[in-house]
Amino acid sequence: MAEFTMELNDDQKQVRDWIHGFAADVIRPAAAEWDEREETPWPVIQEAAKVGIYSLDFYAQQFFDPTGLGVPMAMEELFWGDAGIALSIVGTGLAAIGVLANGTEEQIGTWIPQMYGDQNDVKVAAFCSSEPDAGSDVGAMRTRAVYDQAKDEWVLNGTKTWATNGGIANVHIVVAVVDPELGTKGHASFIVPPNTPGLSQGQKFKKHGIRASHTAEVVLEDVRVPGSCLLGGKEKLDERLARAHERARSGGAGERVKNAAMATFEASRPAVGAMAVGTARAAYEVALDYAKTRTQFGRPIIDNQGVAFQLADMRTQIDAARLLVWRASWMAVAGRPFTSAEGSMSKLYASEVAKKVTAQALQILGGNGFTREYPVERMHRDSAIYTIFEGTSEIQRLVIARTISDMPIR
């Protein structure tokens, strides 16, 4: 296992520069247009597929980087380009992580390639967990999956919301309740193959930010999927449910059982932190360049301590956020347990930094920052999502507090 380092090796630097070039040359020039259109930027995704960035092989290489820095490095550079377009490019990854975290080898080999398609026929995937009444409170989930033993099929009914690529995806990963008595421990994840009857897109959301990324409801009405589409398989599920029931009967003592959605989020939180770092860094660079060239009262505004000190704080916070993300990413690949909720720490701090830094950048640009002529207005809108999706900042604080105290804080 690689030792922790704060220095990228030559191969990582080459990949970073390659992704940065794509972000600068392809993503950024298209950012304003697709933000205004509020549509999935299929041409950009296809360009990413052509050069190899939108592909299973690319994400596998970054995912299995022995230092753990491949994924956060890639996320930072793509989201430096534009958060909305980048999320359209990487949104499939959350569904892929769901399969990697919970699926069998056969499921991984069968379904993940279908999530991406190929450069001539690009596909996307969706991870569907949140519901209208079950966002942070996953215990309130109502979507049900009932096993039809005679046909070896699972029947899914319910409505999912806030699903990236929901309804337009080739493959949907759906979290559903299989044993209501067990609360969150009675959840399981299912693969819904392409063109499965009963799955439809509900409302498509008009959003404050990340508007180039498609977000919608997913409606499931008597959706039947083969038994082989239960992630991990039925034998594994039955064993897990039996352990959970035994633990409940013994008053909670014994093995801690994680539900499928939380396993996916736990694996992805440092990556979300890296996305936030990319957006924050982009806004900081715009503000720094502006402060060095914008003159007031006969001198560049960076000569004023009020501006210079803001930029100093912005850079310090960005670097601190990146280090938290890198630490959590390295710990995950090294098999080190998050004994102090280091994954949630990285997501919490980087998300809050992104909101703060983009707001400061907008302020440094003054009236210009408030217009769409400059990108910080869009970056400021985009940054709001990081403190909301894949666990709000409040939920991250709750996870950290419970972990460091070992108490059921409410």
Side-chain angles (χ1 to χ4, degrees), residues 151-390:
K151 295 183 177 180
D152 186 27
E153 292 179 339
W154 288 90
V155 185
L156 280 65
N157 282 282
T159 299
K160 295 296 182 178
T161 193
W162 311 122
T164 298
N165 298 328
I168 66 170
N170 194 49
V171 177
H172 291 76
I173 304 300
V174 177
V175 182
V177 178
V178 295
D179 192 331
E181 293 182 7
L182 292 175
T184 59
K185 296 178 179 63
H187 295 179
S189 291
F190 298 85
I191 302 159
V192 181
N195 303 314
T196 298
L199 185 147
S200 62
Q201 179 183 309
Q203 175 188 5
K204 177 186 175 182
F205 295 104
K206 305 283 282 184
K207 304 190 300 293
H208 175 68
I210 55 166
R211 301 198 299 197
S213 173
H214 175 96
T215 309
E217 290 182 332
V218 174
V219 180
L220 304 132
E221 296 178 309
D222 291 329
V223 171
R224 286 183 169 267
V225 299
S228 60
C229 287
L230 166 64
L231 282 179
K234 194 167 188 304
E235 182 177 348
K236 183 178 178 180
L237 173 65
D238 289 343
E239 291 175 356
R240 177 166 66 81
L241 296 178
R243 289 197 304 269
H245 276 292
E246 178 60 32
R247 183 169 180 264
R249 285 193 294 268
S250 62
E255 181 181 0
R256 179 177 294 176
V257 182
K258 291 179 181 176
N259 71 69
M262 295 312 295
T264 300
F265 289 138
E266 185 174 296
S268 65
R269 276 171 179 161
V272 177
M275 298 173 189
V277 171
T279 299
R281 191 184 107 211
Y284 158 78
E285 290 176 1
V286 172
L288 178 63
D289 289 343
Y290 186 87
K292 291 193 292 187
T293 57
R294 171 69 168 172
T295 59
Q296 289 288 283
F297 305 106
R299 60 181 184 178
I301 62 173
I302 200 170
D303 280 355
N304 299 308
Q305 285 187 356
V307 173
F309 285 8
Q310 281 195 76
L311 289 162
D313 286 343
M314 291 158 73
R315 176 58 185 269
T316 300
Q317 291 161 1
I318 291 167
D319 283 8
R322 182 184 298 110
L323 289 174
L324 283 172
V325 167
W326 282 18
R327 180 184 69 169
S329 301
W330 173 79
M331 289 178 68
V333 78
R336 304 285 181 91
F338 288 164
T339 56
S340 298
E342 287 86 354
S344 290
M345 283 186 185
S346 68
K347 198 266 186 188
L348 168 65
Y349 188 74
S351 298
E352 296 291 343
V353 164
K355 284 187 69 174
K356 184 176 181 179
V357 165
T358 56
Q360 288 175 304
L362 193 151
Q363 188 69 23
I364 288 171
L365 268 67
N368 285 326
F370 202 65
T371 71
R372 295 189 182 181
E373 183 179 353
Y374 288 80
V376 293
E377 174 271 339
R378 185 179 68 252
M379 294 168 184
H380 182 50
R381 286 189 285 107
D382 290 343
S383 70
I385 194 60
Y386 299 125
T387 62
I388 298 172
F389 74 170
E390 294 198 47

Side-chain angles (χ1 to χ4, degrees), residues 6 20-21 37 45 50 52 70 80 97 181 194 206 217 235 250 308 320 324 331 341 348 377 402 406 409:
M6 293 186 288
H20 183 82
R37 291 175 63 166
I45 299 174
K50 286 180 180 179
W80 172 90
I97 289 173
E181 293 182 7
K206 305 283 282 184
E217 290 182 332
E235 182 177 348
S250 62
L324 283 172
M331 289 178 68
L348 168 65
E377 174 271 339
R402 284 177 172 174
D406 198 28
I409 298 169

